[in-house]
Amino acid sequence: MVTPVRRANNRNDRLLDEAARLFAAQGYRETTMRDIAAAAGMLPGSIYYHHPSKTELLVAVYEKGVEGLCQRFDAAVAGVADPWERLGKALDVHLETVLDQSDYARVMVRVLPEHLPGSAQELARLRDGYEDRIAGLIDALPLNGGIDPKMLRFLILGAANWAQTWYRPGMTSPAEVARQFLLIVQRPMEGSVG
Amino acid sequence: MVTPVRRANNRNDRLLDEAARLFAAQGYRETTMRDIAAAAGMLPGSIYYHHPSKTELLVAVYEKGVEGLCQRFDAAVAGVADPWERLGKALDVHLETVLDQSDYARVMVRVLPEHLPGSAQELARLRDGYEDRIAGLIDALPLNGGIDPKMLRFLILGAANWAQTWYRPGMTSPAEVARQFLLIVQRPMEGSVG
Amino acid sequence: MVTPVRRANNRNDRLLDEAARLFAAQGYRETTMRDIAAAAGMLPGSIYYHHPSKTELLVAVYEKGVEGLCQRFDAAVAGVADPWERLGKALDVHLETVLDQSDYARVMVRVLPEHLPGSAQELARLRDGYEDRIAGLIDALPLNGGIDPKMLRFLILGAANWAQTWYRPGMTSPAEVARQFLLIVQRPMEGSVG
Amino acid sequence: MVTPVRRANNRNDRLLDEAARLFAAQGYRETTMRDIAAAAGMLPGSIYYHHPSKTELLVAVYEKGVEGLCQRFDAAVAGVADPWERLGKALDVHLETVLDQSDYARVMVRVLPEHLPGSAQELARLRDGYEDRIAGLIDALPLNGGIDPKMLRFLILGAANWAQTWYRPGMTSPAEVARQFLLIVQRPMEGSVG
DNA sequence: CATGAATGAGTATTCATTCAT
DNA sequence: GATGAATGAATACTCATTCAT
C-alpha cells in the first residue's frame, strides 16, 4: 500500500534536514540557497515554494531544533525529583543532542539570534522556550550562599554550548563531558558538609 | 622634527581599530571591506595597500587581539603564587578585556578559526598562544579526585567566552562575573582546607 | 434546476474581473499570475485551464474592454444626429467608462499594444474597433478651415486617455471633464453659427 | 592635449544616454540592468558604481529630462509677451523635444511617477518643475467664460504627451502637430470677435 | 600612498509556466 | 476543473578584489 500523501512532506523534511546540516556545519551566512537546494536534490527556486526566504527557512530549522531539544529534555527529567540529578540529566541531554545527535540543535547553538538583526526577536523567542526550562531547573537548586543562580546558569549553558567548538567525536563521550561539568559545578547542599 | 613613518602607521592603526570594531560588532562575513574603509576614512581599494586580503586583515586583527590579551594576562598573574588566586586574576582579565575593553579580543571570541577554512590553522596557532597560558594555569591547580583539568579548562573558557553573548554593560561588572565564575568552580582541595 | 456550465463561466468571469482590476491598477508587468490567482481565489496553475498564457489573459481582458466601450458608445450616440452633440456623448461615455466604471476599459488605456511586442498587432486590431468609431465621428464634424480631423482626433483621444493619469474621484465628475473638453475644442463653423 | 579628467564623466554620460534610450523605447520595467550595461559597454555590476539602484538610475535620467525640457522651454518663451504666442512656443518645444530630440524627455512622458510606488514622490517633484511652468503659462491666457484653465492644461498636456503613442517620424513634423493643437484650442480673446 | 572606476563571480529572490495527480 | 509541487531562466544587486593613474 503506497502513501502518496506523504511524498510532498518528505521533500520538505529533506529540505529542512539538509538546511540544518549545512547551517550547523558552515554557518548561516556561509551556506547558500544553492548549497541547500543541491543537497536536497532540488533547484534553488524550488525552496521558495516551501519557505518564503532564507531567513524563514532558518526559523523553521530553529523551531524544529528547539522542539526536539525540549522534548528530549522533558522526557529526561520527567519523574526525577532531586534537583542536582535533574541538572545532570539536562546536561546529558543537552550535550548528547548538540554534540552528537541533532543538526537542528547544533544550529540553535551556532546561529545566535543577535547575529540576524531582522529576525533576532523571533529566534530569541523560540530559544527562550528551551532556556526557560534550564533557568527553572537551576533556580530549584539549593545553592551555597553567595552563588547567583543566574550566573550559574550562564556558566553552565555557556560551557555546554561552547563545547561544540572543541568537541570532536572520538575524544570523549558527550555523557562523560556532562558528568565532568556536573562534578565541577555541583556544590554540597548548604550546611550539609560545611 | 616630523616623523612621517609614524603618520603612515597611524592610518593602518585606524584601519585595524575600525576593522576590529566592526568584526566584533557584526561578524566577519557581515562586515564588508567597504564598511571598514568608510569607517577608517578611506576608499575600499586603499585597504589593499596595507593588507593583501580581507582574510589577512582579520589575521592582523587577531594577532593584535592575542598579543593584547597575553600582555594583560602576564601582567595580572605576575608575582601571584597561589594557583586559585592566579585563576581568579586570569578570569578577571579575560572577562574585563573581552566584555569591556578590547574590540580586538572580542573578535578572537566571536570569530572562530574553524569558521574560516582557508586560515583556520593560522588563526588557531595565534589563539593557542593565549589558550596555552590558561591550560598551564589550570594544570597547576590542586584538583579533587576525578576532575579532568582539560574539562575544567573547557568549562571555564567556554563560560567566559560565551559571556559575550549575554553580557550587556550595566547589568553586572565583568569583575563580578569573574568572581562568581571562580566561586562556582573553586573547590577546596580534598580533605585539606588550609 | 442547477446550471453547472454557468458556474464554470462564473469562475472565469471572476478571473477576468480580477485580472482587469489588477492590470488597470498596477500595470501588466507589475501584476503577477500569483496576484491574479490569489485575487480570484484560485492557485496560479489553475489560471492556465482558462487561458493559455498571461498574454492571452490580457487579450481576453482587452477584448471585453473594447466590447464594453463600443456598446456604451453605440447606445449613447444612437439617434443623435448633430455631429458636435454626438462628440459630446462620446466624450461623456469615454471619460465616465475609463475614469469611473470599467477596469476593462482602464486596461485598454493603460496597457498599450506597442508595449507587448509579441501581441501588439492583435491588441491594436481590437483597439481599432473602438478608435475607428471615434474617427468616423470626428470626420463628420464641420470643421473650420485648416483643422486636420486626424489631429483633432489625436488631441481628443490623447486628452481623454491621459485623464486617467491625473483624475482622482472627488475632484470633478467625469461628465464635467467631458463638458470642458468639448467646450474647448468646439468651434463654431466658420462664418455660420446656425 | 588630452583631457583625462573628462574620461570618467563620459562613461557615466554614456550610461545615462543608453538608460534613457532604453527606458524610453521599452519602458522601465521592461529594461534590465543587463540591457543597459550591454548598451553602455560595461558589466551590470559596474552600473552600481555610478548609481546605487535601478530606481536611482531612473531618477537621474528623469532629472536630466526635466532639466533639458525646462531649459528649452525657458529659451523658447523668453522675450515673448503675447500669452497665446507663448503657448504656441511651449507646444512647439514640448512636441519637438519629446517626439524628436530627447530620450530623456521621452522617459518623462512614458514613465509616470505613480507607476513606481517607491519613488513616486521624488519623480513627481521633478516633473512638477516643468508642469508648473505650463500651468503658469496657461493661467496667463485670457480665456472665454466657462473654460477652466486647469482643464485646458490637462487637455493640452495630455494631448501632447499622448502624441508619443501615435507619432512616427515621417508622418508630420512635430512643429505641424504643435500648430494644429494650438489652432484647435486657441480661442479668440473674450469679446474681441464675438 | 591613495583613489576612481571597474570587474566577475556570486547572492537571494521572482515568476510564468508545467504537469502528474 | 483544479491543485500542489516544482522548474529554469531571469532579475536586481553585492562584494572582494584589481589596476592605471
Side-chain angles (χ1 to χ4, degrees):
Chain A
M1 218 193 280
V2 264
T3 53
V5 179
R6 280 325 262 172
R7 210 191 58 196
N9 241 359
N10 284 347
R11 294 274 272 162
N12 188 31
D13 286 352
R14 169 93 186 278
L15 187 57
L16 286 171
D17 283 353
E18 298 297 341
R21 190 173 58 78
L22 289 164
F23 286 156
Q26 316 177 350
Y28 175 76
R29 282 294 302 264
E30 289 74 11
T31 301
T32 70
M33 294 300 260
R34 276 209 233 303
D35 290 343
I36 298 168
M42 42 172 81
L43 290 170
S46 304
I47 300 179
Y48 291 84
Y49 178 79
H50 302 280
H51 305 276
S53 70
K54 191 184 178 187
T55 309
E56 288 299 314
L57 177 56
L58 174 68
V59 169
V61 167
Y62 233 80
E63 218 154 8
K64 275 189 87 168
V66 173
E67 202 182 339
L69 199 47
C70 286
Q71 277 174 8
R72 284 165 163 272
F73 174 97
D74 292 340
V77 302
V80 179
D82 178 68
W84 284 106
E85 204 181 329
R86 284 170 67 88
L87 178 59
K89 296 283 189 194
L91 266 174
D92 220 54
V93 157
H94 187 106
L95 286 164
E96 284 190 343
T97 308
V98 160
L99 298 183
D100 212 56
Q101 290 169 4
S102 168
D103 288 325
Y104 292 93
R106 253 190 286 283
V107 172
M108 268 182 69
V109 172
R110 169 140 190 189
V111 182
L112 301 179
E114 56 269 33
H115 293 176
L116 282 103
S119 325
Q121 280 189 348
E122 189 167 11
L123 297 179
R125 189 181 45 74
L126 289 171
R127 224 190 158 81
D128 286 344
Y130 175 67
E131 297 203 352
D132 288 351
R133 280 171 165 82
I134 302 287
L137 188 148
I138 286 177
D139 288 342
L141 293 174
L143 295 177
N144 276 345
I147 290 186
D148 179 350
K150 197 154 86 176
M151 289 297 143
L152 178 57
R153 168 160 57 98
F154 284 146
L155 178 139
I156 289 175
L157 269 176
N161 287 336
W162 198 262
Q164 206 179 135
T165 71
W166 54 261
Y167 178 83
R168 294 293 169 269
M171 57 198 316
T172 322
S173 70
E176 174 58 14
V177 177
R179 208 184 58 80
Q180 282 278 334
F181 281 7
L182 182 67
L183 196 60
I184 293 168
V185 301
Q186 186 172 9
R187 322 279 335 228
M189 275 167 285
E190 194 156 5
S192 78
V193 170
Chain B
M1 215 195 281
V2 249
T3 52
V5 177
R6 190 114 193 96
R7 208 205 280 139
N9 252 359
N10 282 348
R11 292 276 273 164
N12 188 32
D13 286 351
R14 170 93 185 276
L15 189 56
L16 287 171
D17 282 354
E18 298 297 342
R21 190 173 59 77
L22 290 165
F23 286 157
Q26 318 178 347
Y28 175 74
R29 281 296 302 260
E30 289 74 11
T31 301
T32 70
M33 294 296 262
R34 266 182 161 70
D35 290 341
I36 299 167
M42 43 174 82
L43 289 171
S46 306
I47 299 180
Y48 290 82
Y49 178 81
H50 302 280
H51 304 275
S53 71
K54 193 184 177 187
T55 311
E56 289 300 317
L57 178 56
L58 174 67
V59 170
V61 167
Y62 233 80
E63 217 155 9
K64 274 190 88 166
V66 173
E67 200 183 340
L69 199 48
C70 286
Q71 277 174 10
R72 282 166 165 275
F73 174 97
D74 293 341
V77 301
V80 179
D82 179 70
W84 284 107
E85 204 181 330
R86 285 170 67 88
L87 178 59
K89 296 283 188 194
L91 266 174
D92 219 54
V93 157
H94 187 105
L95 286 164
E96 284 190 344
T97 307
V98 159
L99 299 183
D100 212 56
Q101 290 168 7
S102 168
D103 288 323
Y104 292 93
R106 253 189 286 281
V107 172
M108 269 183 69
V109 172
R110 172 148 188 184
V111 183
L112 300 179
E114 55 270 33
H115 293 175
L116 282 102
S119 324
Q121 283 188 351
E122 189 166 9
L123 297 179
R125 190 179 46 72
L126 288 171
R127 225 188 156 80
D128 287 344
Y130 175 66
E131 297 203 354
D132 288 351
R133 279 171 165 83
I134 302 287
L137 186 148
I138 285 178
D139 288 342
L141 292 174
L143 295 177
N144 277 346
I147 290 185
D148 179 348
K150 196 154 85 176
M151 288 298 143
L152 179 56
R153 168 161 55 98
F154 283 146
L155 179 139
I156 289 175
L157 270 177
N161 286 336
W162 197 263
Q164 205 177 132
T165 71
W166 55 260
Y167 178 83
R168 294 292 169 272
M171 58 198 313
T172 321
S173 68
E176 174 59 14
V177 177
R179 206 182 60 79
Q180 282 277 334
F181 281 6
L182 183 67
L183 195 60
I184 293 167
V185 301
Q186 185 174 9
R187 319 283 324 252
M189 277 167 285
E190 197 161 2
S192 75
V193 170
Chain C
M1 213 193 284
V2 249
T3 52
V5 177
R6 190 110 194 96
R7 208 205 285 138
N9 251 357
N10 282 347
R11 292 276 274 164
N12 188 32
D13 286 351
R14 170 92 186 279
L15 189 56
L16 287 172
D17 282 354
E18 297 298 341
R21 189 174 58 79
L22 289 165
F23 287 157
Q26 317 177 350
Y28 174 75
R29 281 295 303 261
E30 289 73 12
T31 301
T32 70
M33 293 298 261
R34 267 183 160 70
D35 291 342
I36 299 167
M42 42 173 82
L43 289 171
S46 306
I47 300 180
Y48 290 82
Y49 178 80
H50 304 279
H51 304 275
S53 71
K54 192 184 178 187
T55 310
E56 288 300 316
L57 178 56
L58 174 68
V59 170
V61 167
Y62 233 80
E63 218 155 8
K64 273 191 90 167
V66 173
E67 200 183 340
L69 198 49
C70 286
Q71 277 173 10
R72 285 166 164 273
F73 175 96
D74 292 341
V77 302
V80 180
D82 179 70
W84 283 107
E85 203 181 330
R86 285 171 66 88
L87 178 60
K89 296 283 188 193
L91 265 174
D92 219 53
V93 157
H94 187 106
L95 286 164
E96 284 190 344
T97 307
V98 159
L99 299 184
D100 212 56
Q101 291 169 5
S102 168
D103 288 323
Y104 292 92
R106 252 189 287 281
V107 172
M108 269 182 68
V109 171
R110 172 145 186 184
V111 182
L112 301 179
E114 55 270 33
H115 292 176
L116 282 102
S119 323
Q121 283 188 352
E122 189 167 10
L123 296 179
R125 191 180 44 73
L126 289 170
R127 223 188 159 82
D128 287 344
Y130 174 66
E131 298 203 353
D132 287 350
R133 278 171 167 85
I134 302 287
L137 188 149
I138 287 178
D139 288 342
L141 292 174
L143 295 177
N144 276 347
I147 290 186
D148 178 350
K150 196 156 86 176
M151 288 297 142
L152 179 57
R153 168 160 56 97
F154 284 147
L155 178 139
I156 288 175
L157 270 176
N161 288 335
W162 197 262
Q164 207 178 130
T165 71
W166 55 260
Y167 178 83
R168 294 291 169 270
M171 58 198 313
T172 318
S173 68
E176 174 58 14
V177 177
R179 206 183 60 80
Q180 282 278 333
F181 282 6
L182 182 68
L183 195 60
I184 293 167
V185 302
Q186 186 174 7
R187 318 287 320 255
M189 277 167 286
E190 196 160 5
S192 74
V193 170
Chain D
M1 217 194 279
V2 264
T3 53
V5 178
R6 281 324 264 173
R7 210 190 59 198
N9 242 0
N10 285 347
R11 292 275 272 163
N12 187 32
D13 286 351
R14 170 95 185 276
L15 186 57
L16 286 171
D17 283 353
E18 298 297 339
R21 190 174 58 78
L22 289 165
F23 287 156
Q26 318 179 348
Y28 175 74
R29 281 296 300 264
E30 290 74 10
T31 301
T32 71
M33 293 300 261
R34 277 209 232 303
D35 291 343
I36 298 167
M42 40 172 83
L43 289 170
S46 304
I47 298 179
Y48 291 84
Y49 179 78
H50 302 280
H51 305 276
S53 69
K54 191 184 177 187
T55 309
E56 288 300 314
L57 178 56
L58 173 67
V59 169
V61 167
Y62 234 79
E63 218 154 8
K64 274 190 88 167
V66 172
E67 201 182 339
L69 199 48
C70 286
Q71 276 172 10
R72 284 165 164 273
F73 175 98
D74 292 341
V77 302
V80 180
D82 178 69
W84 285 106
E85 202 182 332
R86 284 170 68 88
L87 178 59
K89 295 284 188 192
L91 266 174
D92 219 54
V93 156
H94 187 105
L95 286 164
E96 284 191 342
T97 307
V98 160
L99 299 183
D100 211 56
Q101 289 168 6
S102 167
D103 289 323
Y104 292 93
R106 253 188 287 281
V107 172
M108 269 182 70
V109 171
R110 170 141 189 189
V111 182
L112 300 180
E114 54 270 33
H115 293 175
L116 282 104
S119 325
Q121 281 189 350
E122 189 167 11
L123 297 180
R125 190 180 45 75
L126 288 171
R127 225 189 157 80
D128 286 345
Y130 174 66
E131 297 202 353
D132 288 351
R133 279 172 165 82
I134 302 288
L137 186 148
I138 286 178
D139 288 342
L141 292 174
L143 295 177
N144 276 345
I147 291 186
D148 180 348
K150 197 155 85 174
M151 290 296 143
L152 178 57
R153 167 160 55 98
F154 284 146
L155 179 139
I156 289 175
L157 269 177
N161 287 336
W162 197 263
Q164 205 179 135
T165 71
W166 54 260
Y167 179 82
R168 294 292 169 269
M171 59 198 313
T172 327
S173 68
E176 174 57 15
V177 177
R179 206 182 60 79
Q180 281 279 333
F181 282 6
L182 181 67
L183 195 60
I184 294 167
V185 302
Q186 186 172 8
R187 323 272 344 219
M189 276 168 282
E190 194 158 7
S192 79
V193 170

